[in-house]
Amino acid sequence: MSNRMNKMNRREFIGGTMAATVAMATGTATAFADSGQQSKKKTVKDLPYNPRTHKAMPTRNLGKTGYQVGIFSLGGQATLEIKGKEKDSVDIINRAIDLGVNYIDTAAGYGNGVSEINIGRVLKDRRNEVFQTSKTADRTYDGSMQLLEKTLKQLQTDHLDLWQLHNVRTQDELDKIFSKDGALKALLKAREDGMVRFLGVRVFATEFRTNGRN
């Protein structure tokens, strides 16, 4: 894993992120920092499949994942992250999947875990229909691994299809992520162990700056 971290320097990381930003032409973007190979220790199941998606809406290739994602997806904020809105959240999630949505995005920080818990109420019975993502805003190895364990428990699943670094804005954050015990180490370890399938980063391109250091 250390060799892999050495090969993926800051310039490659930022370059992939900015390329995705330009391609999407938005203020925020998801960049797949490393698709890599499937874990040798644990093989995750086949990619999810919602049989309604292709009939309900156009689809697009999701980076280099090999997954066809519908042009409409479901985000884990608003109602889904509000405590006391369990029934409404479950109804929204089930309805979205019934209408062909095959991608649900959330984060450990949405509602301090409420979003993941509400999604998990549906995911426990419909995991194979949804490409499920989550994010870590922690920049350390230990903190991110602890968040991932909590995320999987709350989502009631044994793996994520995509785990992302959340809201990366500054060079200082990037330095922490790439440090010896930084969050990148957690992402690579989680993929190696079969806890996540793909890795990515969410950046605010208009606020992120780099001084060109490796």
Side-chain angles (χ1 to χ4, degrees), residues 32 35 47 61-68 131 161 197-198:
F32 295 99
S35 55
L47 285 167
N61 291 323
L62 185 62
K64 297 180 180 179
T65 65
Y67 190 67
Q68 290 281 312
F131 191 99
D161 295 300
R197 195 190 301 267
F198 299 106

Side-chain angles (χ1 to χ4, degrees), residues 87-98:
K87 184 181 183 305
D88 290 341
S89 295
V90 167
D91 289 345
I92 289 169
I93 298 163
N94 274 317
R95 182 60 173 160
I97 298 173
D98 289 343

